[in-house]
């Protein structure tokens, strides 16, 4: 363990702003990609379902 | 305005029987002749070049020493932008009137015909820009010892700029608003040419040998001559057929 | 079965493994790197940015190679799946580049005292970001999907040829302009307790990237094959003439993610 206390860990020896903003934005970016991929998957599936319904109602 | 057929009648025999040199020469002379009929368009990049250079002293400061240190970069960036400005028209008219389609149908290898077109573009923009550059160099207080290198670097570099830019022009010629997109895809690829082109002039100003820079510019040109025509041809095929 | 359908079925078997691998490596790497690795004797704790900066930068470069490889496969052998992978991967590469840029410039404040410095690596990263944006925007600019795919592939290849040239010229340029600055990644040799978590993070990023590319490619497959029978069977929208038994078997084979 490189830190003596939890507060010490979050303070990062005075570099908290830099370390946590870099880590935070990276995490947010990666999570954002996963979430947006899931959302687009759902949108594509809904789109296919809608199209099939429309085809059936026409036939 | 009268548009010429792709391969003039006199030369069409030679072209159809497969003489590659004749077809390339015909493509080049046609482009040159057509451009000479639209003189105002020929002057556009040159006027733009001069205007941008005029803007810098107004925006920065008329201080001669400051301008002289900035001059190599300013002249090169302005020349680069002037080339970029002219690229949108490289294939545009041929695309609109269908002669690009004819070019694709000729039996000669498309990359070489396209190379002839790019050489035409360089003769009409890059070369005049290089010839005009010392004049603007004087305005920016560039030491006259660097004029030779300035012209040589621009002449060498702008051929690479034409080749690389033609890739972007070929890819975007079928798009309605290709202009902005063209600069987005082409400008990052221009950076190496800019670095070594401006570097050559800077080292000439500093009294250092500038031959290594010119040699690297030449190497880039050789690579671009080899590879760019293939990409331009592929881009034109997809723009015309897609 | 068509190639995209085969890919769809196979990737659903790989994905759980890839995700677990990614999460385990990223978790261990993060905890180790953030809390247990010793602080750098020069930079203190700000060096812990390395554990997100270096993996993002490496992935940003690998992703462009993937784009170029996909472009070759698509242009030469006309394999559509390669283009779907390229479509899926390009935004991830752009994000990785942006993250590497951000973490690099944030790291610059404690080390250089300024947000931005025209350091060779940061500069070529910035240029690479523009290359990614060009590929993504060019793909979207065409009305027909096939033209967009071919245009993006050609541009990816042109970019790949140019990246080493850009790197070389920017390196050369930056040594000319500002000698002897501290560079981010040429740190002094690290002790094992520092580089093992870094290695874990890099591998974790690779696993995460692979999983995410597969996941996005699956969405792209669905989008492009939406008119195909197998997609409709998979989504359990069975037209009257297809048997429900067949649908059930396909469904069982392909657990959805």
């Amino acid at each position: 363990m490189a830190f003596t206390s939890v507060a010490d860990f979050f303070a990062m020896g005075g570099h908290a702003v830099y370390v946590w903003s870099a880590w935070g934005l990276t995490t947010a970016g990666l999570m954002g990609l996963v979430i947006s991929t899931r959302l687009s998957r759902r949108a594509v599936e809904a789109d296919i379902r809608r199209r099939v319904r429309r085809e059936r109602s026409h036939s | 305005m009268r548009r010429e057929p792709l391969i003039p009648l006199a030369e069409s025999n030679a072209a159809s029987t497969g003489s590659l040199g004749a077809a390339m020469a015909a493509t080049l002379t046609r482009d040159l002749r057509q451009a000479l009929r639209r003189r105002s368009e020929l002057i556009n990049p040159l006027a733009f070049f001069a205007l941008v250079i005029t803007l810098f002293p107004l925006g920065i400061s008329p201080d001669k020493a400051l301008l002289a240190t900035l001059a190599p970069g300013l002249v090169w960036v302005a020349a680069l932008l002037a080339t970029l400005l002219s690229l949108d028209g490289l294939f545009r008219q041929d695309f609109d009137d269908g002669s690009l389609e004819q070019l694709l149908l000729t039996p000669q290898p498309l990359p070489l015909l396209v190379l002839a077109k790019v050489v035409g573009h360089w003769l009409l923009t890059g070369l005049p820009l290089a010839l005009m550059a010392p004049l603007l160099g004087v305005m920016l207080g560039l030491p006259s010892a660097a004029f030779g290198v300035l012209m040589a670097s621009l002449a060498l570099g702008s051929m690479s700029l034409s080749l690389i830019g033609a890739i972007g022009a070929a890819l975007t010629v079928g798009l309605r608003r290709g202009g902005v997109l063209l600069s987005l895809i082409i400008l990052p690829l221009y950076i190496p040419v800019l670095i070594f082109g401006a570097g050559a002039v800077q080292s000439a100003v500093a009294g250092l040998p500038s031959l290594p820079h010119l040699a690297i510019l030449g190497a880039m040109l050789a690579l671009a001559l080899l590879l760019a025509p293939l990409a331009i041809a592929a881009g034109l095929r997809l723009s015309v057929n897609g | 079965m068509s190639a995209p359908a085969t890919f769809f079925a196979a990737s659903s078997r790989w994905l759980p493994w890839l995700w677990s691998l990614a999460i385990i490596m990223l978790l261990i790497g993060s905890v180790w790197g953030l809390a247990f690795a010793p602080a750098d004797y020069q930079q203190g704790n700000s060096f812990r940015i390395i554990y997100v900066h270096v993996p993002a930068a490496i992935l940003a470069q690998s992703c462009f190679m993937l784009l170029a490889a996909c472009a070759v496969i698509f242009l030469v052998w006309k394999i559509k799946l390669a283009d779907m992978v390229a479509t899926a991967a390009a935004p991830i590469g752009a994000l990785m580049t942006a993250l590497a840029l951000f973490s690099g410039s944030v790291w610059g404040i404690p080390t250089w005292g300024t947000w931005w410095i025209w350091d060779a690596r940061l500069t070529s990263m910035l240029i690479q970001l523009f290359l990614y944006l060009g590929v993504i925007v060019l793909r979207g600019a065409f009305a027909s999907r096939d033209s967009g795919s071919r245009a993006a592939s050609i541009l990816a290849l042109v970019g790949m040829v140019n990246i080493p040239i850009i790197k070389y010229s920017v390196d050369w340029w930056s040594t000319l302009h500002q000698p002897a600055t501290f560079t981010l990644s040429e740190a002094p040799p690290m002790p094992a307790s520092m580089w093992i978590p870094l290695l874990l993070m890099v591998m974790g990023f690779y696993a995460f990237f692979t999983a995410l590319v597969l996941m996005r490619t699956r969405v792209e497959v669905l989008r492009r094959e939406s008119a195909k029978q197998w997609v409709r069977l998979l989504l359990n929208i069975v037209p009257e003439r297809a048997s429900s038994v067949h649908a059930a078997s396909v469904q069982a084979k392909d657990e959805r993610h």
Side-chain angles (χ1 to χ4, degrees):
Chain A
M1 197 73 175
F3 300 95
T4 47
S5 69
V6 178
D8 201 22
F9 171 67
F10 283 111
M12 277 289 157
H15 290 142
V17 192
Y18 315 123
V19 174
W20 293 119
S21 64
W23 275 77
L25 204 82
T26 306
T27 318
L30 299 187
M31 293 320 288
L33 264 184
V34 174
I35 292 167
S36 85
T37 308
R38 293 203 86 108
L39 288 180
S40 63
R41 163 95 188 222
R42 221 168 283 171
V44 167
E45 285 187 11
D47 189 55
I48 297 174
R49 290 219 161 80
R50 210 166 25 241
R51 204 176 316 163
V52 170
R53 254 202 311 279
R54 205 163 45 228
E55 281 166 19
R56 276 192 204 155
S57 66
H58 279 294
S59 62
Chain B
M1 186 187 58
R2 196 166 64 88
R3 296 276 292 160
E4 281 185 30
L6 186 71
I7 292 165
L9 283 177
E11 281 128 320
S12 69
N13 248 353
S16 61
T17 50
S19 162
L20 181 59
M24 285 174 74
T27 312
L28 179 61
T29 47
R30 167 184 172 275
D31 275 16
L32 292 181
R33 214 175 294 158
Q34 216 137 46
L36 289 177
R37 291 213 195 102
R38 298 188 302 261
R39 290 215 182 81
S40 65
E41 274 182 47
L42 262 182
I43 294 176
N44 268 348
L46 295 175
F48 178 84
F49 187 37
L51 259 172
V52 170
I53 290 296
T54 318
L55 292 182
F56 280 119
L58 295 171
I60 302 169
S61 129
D63 177 30
K64 252 210 144 82
L66 180 64
L67 283 177
T69 52
L70 295 177
L74 296 185
V75 174
W76 252 93
V77 169
L80 190 149
L81 292 177
T83 312
L84 187 73
L85 191 76
S86 68
L87 278 172
D88 195 44
L90 177 53
F91 299 117
R92 176 73 58 202
Q93 227 167 359
D94 285 353
F95 180 80
D96 287 342
D97 68 11
S99 43
L100 206 54
E101 235 162 307
Q102 286 183 28
L103 191 74
L104 261 63
L105 290 174
T106 47
Q108 280 78 22
L110 184 58
L112 291 171
L113 294 181
V114 157
L115 184 61
K117 281 187 92 67
V118 176
V119 170
H121 177 258
W122 174 75
L123 285 174
L124 295 166
T125 56
L127 197 59
L129 286 177
L131 293 176
M132 190 180 159
L135 196 65
L136 302 172
V138 172
M139 286 164 70
L140 292 177
L142 193 74
S144 53
F147 286 174
V149 176
L150 178 67
M151 287 170 74
S153 73
L154 272 174
L156 260 178
S158 61
M159 181 76 206
S160 303
L161 295 184
S162 289
L163 279 163
I164 300 169
I167 301 175
L171 285 172
T172 55
V173 70
L175 300 173
R176 188 159 302 169
R177 278 180 305 170
V180 186
L181 188 55
L182 178 64
S183 31
L184 175 65
I185 60 182
I186 286 311
L187 281 179
L189 306 176
Y190 273 180
I191 287 168
V193 183
L194 172 67
I195 288 176
F196 285 101
V201 186
Q202 267 162 4
S203 53
V205 171
L208 300 168
S210 52
L211 207 60
H213 299 80
L214 294 178
I216 292 176
L217 277 182
M220 285 180 184
L221 176 58
L223 193 68
L225 275 173
L226 199 67
L227 295 178
L230 300 173
I232 301 167
L236 284 181
R237 283 223 167 80
L238 97 90
S239 284
V240 170
N241 301 330
Chain C
M1 266 227 273
S2 65
T6 316
F7 163 81
F8 203 89
S11 60
S12 76
R13 287 193 300 274
W14 306 333
L15 270 173
W17 294 101
L18 277 168
W19 280 126
S20 346
L21 201 66
I23 290 170
I24 291 170
M25 288 197 288
L26 288 177
L27 269 182
I28 299 178
S30 301
V31 172
W32 194 340
L34 275 174
F36 291 92
D40 186 78
Y41 74 102
Q42 270 182 325
Q43 301 182 42
N45 285 310
S46 71
F47 104 99
R48 293 179 201 282
I49 294 175
I50 203 174
Y51 296 114
V52 286
H53 174 76
V54 167
I58 290 177
L59 259 293
Q61 293 172 355
S62 303
C63 184
F64 213 98
M65 288 180 208
L66 177 68
L67 288 193
C70 286
V72 171
I73 296 173
F74 175 66
L75 290 175
V76 175
W77 292 286
K78 313 262 185 292
I79 295 174
K80 291 238 168 69
L81 190 60
D83 182 56
M84 298 187 206
V85 173
T87 315
I92 312 180
L95 183 87
M96 290 288 179
T97 315
L99 287 177
L101 269 176
F102 177 79
S103 52
S105 63
V106 163
W107 197 358
I109 310 170
T111 39
W112 300 320
T114 165
W115 276 97
W116 183 261
I117 192 161
W118 289 96
D119 164 70
R121 284 162 197 274
L122 281 180
T123 310
S124 44
M125 263 297 160
L126 184 65
I127 300 167
Q128 199 178 324
L129 181 64
F130 292 133
L131 289 178
Y132 270 118
L133 291 181
V135 171
I136 295 172
V137 174
L138 187 65
R139 179 187 293 280
F142 284 82
S144 104
R145 177 183 286 145
D146 190 55
S147 303
S149 300
R150 280 161 59 199
S153 303
I154 294 171
L155 187 60
L157 280 179
V158 173
M160 193 67 232
V161 173
N162 268 276
I163 280 180
I165 303 175
I166 293 175
K167 282 238 155 68
Y168 167 74
S169 26
V170 170
D171 270 349
W172 180 90
W173 162 83
S174 117
T175 49
L176 183 79
H177 282 254
Q178 28 152 321
T181 42
F182 173 81
T183 51
L184 283 182
S185 309
E186 283 165 22
M190 291 189 236
S193 55
M194 277 178 166
W195 67 254
I196 293 174
L198 183 59
L199 189 67
L200 274 173
M201 288 301 279
V202 171
M203 292 194 308
F205 264 64
Y206 267 109
F208 182 92
F209 173 78
T210 315
L212 197 59
V213 168
L214 287 182
M215 194 170 148
R216 294 176 65 88
T217 308
R218 287 160 64 82
V219 177
E220 195 61 27
V221 167
L222 285 186
R223 187 176 290 142
R224 295 196 193 183
E225 305 257 292
S226 60
K228 299 275 168 67
Q229 185 72 8
W230 71 268
V231 172
R232 296 181 175 196
L233 290 171
L234 179 84
L235 296 183
N236 226 356
I237 327 168
V238 194
E240 294 83 70
R241 58 177 182 282
S243 75
S244 54
V245 179
H246 184 197
S249 73
V250 172
Q251 180 75 28
K253 247 198 281 176
D254 197 289
E255 186 203 340
R256 285 203 277 128
H257 285 272

